[in-house]
Amino acid sequence: ITQNISRYVIDVDQPPYDLNRLVLDEQSQSSSSFCYTSKGIIPLFTSNQDWLLAKKLSLSEIQRRVKEYYFPYHEQIKQIGNSLKEKNGFVIIVHARSMCSHGKAIHRDTGSIRSDIDLGSHFAKSCHKDIIEFSFEFFRSSGLKATMNSVHSGGFCNSIYGKPQKKAHSLQIEINRALYMDESAFQKHEKNFHELKTLLFQYLDQLAALNFS
């Protein structure tokens, strides 16, 4: 499943009714049913701490994004996940994300050089330990530096879809952008990109062969 819009439009890895009050225009603030948090589904800043909004948003605009982008994405995960679980007796959901090569000012690891691959499992709560161990060893043996729950232990998706006791496993994989692109120029390195793509498909094929029913 691919989300074809930027998370700056709406972040599908946040709870659906969480919102930073600063996103709303003045007229909408008094009528909103959202729970106000410091982050929320509409980001205020980029990872470089640049302000994102040209103007504050109306409640109706935010509700439109939730209806058109947020819920359809999660419905697809639920439908496909339930179908695979019914067919195989279990399901493994992999959330693939990209991360910058160094922690930025907005991150908890500001200035730190990041690993090639960071596996997020909510500290072994969102998937079976064998999935974590297999994934870690796969990437390590492929010549990549792998870490676990270092950059991010997993977001909202991991927490709601990862229920190992119910045979539903969820693992987040953060992929270092420096592996396949020039971050400063925002240009893809074709050779590196295709090699990484091939490796990831090999990983998924081997992961799919595991049995957790």
Side-chain angles (χ1 to χ4, degrees):
I1 302 172
T2 302
Q3 177 61 288
N4 291 322
I5 60 168
S6 169
R7 70 177 184 88
Y8 291 154
V9 175
I10 190 165
D11 190 345
V12 295
D13 203 18
Q14 298 292 331
Y17 299 108
D18 282 1
L19 192 69
N20 189 310
R21 183 184 290 272
L22 295 177
V23 169
L24 284 168
D25 61 26
E26 187 174 343
Q27 182 179 357
S28 300
Q29 288 189 14
S30 60
S31 59
S32 172
S33 60
F34 284 92
C35 299
Y36 294 121
T37 64
S38 61
K39 195 170 185 181
I41 55 174
I42 309 292
L44 285 173
F45 301 96
T46 69
S47 57
N48 291 322
Q49 293 190 309
D50 296 322
W51 181 262
L52 280 166
L53 300 177
K55 64 177 181 178
K56 294 191 176 185
L57 304 177
S58 65
L59 180 59
S60 61
E61 169 58 19
I62 295 172
Q63 290 173 331
R64 182 191 70 82
R65 295 185 189 188
V66 170
K67 179 181 178 181
E68 293 185 11
Y69 304 130
Y70 186 97
F71 285 132
Y73 175 81
H74 284 278
E75 281 302 315
Q76 283 292 299
I77 294 178
K78 291 174 185 176
Q79 289 176 14
I80 295 174
N82 288 339
S83 176
L84 289 172
K85 183 181 174 184
E86 184 176 344
K87 177 182 177 181
N88 301 309
F90 70 99
V91 64
I92 303 174
I93 301 173
V94 176
H95 302 276
R97 299 163 44 130
S98 69
M99 63 178 177
C100 42
S101 58
H102 292 72
K104 298 187 178 182
I106 200 172
H107 301 132
R108 65 183 182 183
D109 62 339
T110 304
S112 299
I113 299 175
R114 292 175 166 179
S115 60
D116 296 320
I117 300 289
D118 187 56
L119 306 173
S121 64
H122 278 300
F123 300 96
K125 293 179 181 178
S126 67
C127 64
H128 195 283
K129 64 179 181 63
D130 287 354
I131 296 174
I132 303 169
E133 292 172 0
F134 164 78
S135 301
F136 182 84
E137 181 57 28
F138 176 90
F139 290 114
R140 189 199 64 79
S141 63
S142 299
L144 299 176
K145 181 182 179 182
T147 52
M148 293 186 283
N149 302 299
S150 177
V151 176
H152 205 318
S153 63
F156 176 70
C157 290
N158 249 19
S159 66
I160 61 169
Y161 297 121
K163 307 293 181 185
Q165 68 278 12
K166 296 182 179 180
K167 305 295 184 180
H169 307 274
S170 180
L171 180 67
Q172 179 173 297
I173 299 182
E174 293 273 5
I175 304 168
N176 193 315
R177 293 174 194 156
L179 290 174
Y180 62 89
M181 68 179 292
D182 181 331
E183 290 180 276
S184 59
F186 213 70
Q187 293 182 341
K188 182 169 63 176
H189 296 308
E190 292 293 342
K191 180 176 181 294
N192 293 356
F193 177 83
H194 287 294
E195 287 177 353
L196 180 60
K197 181 179 178 180
T198 299
L199 180 68
L200 291 173
F201 274 115
Q202 291 173 354
Y203 163 73
L204 292 174
D205 285 343
Q206 294 183 34
L207 182 65
L210 301 178
N211 193 329
F212 293 92
S213 59

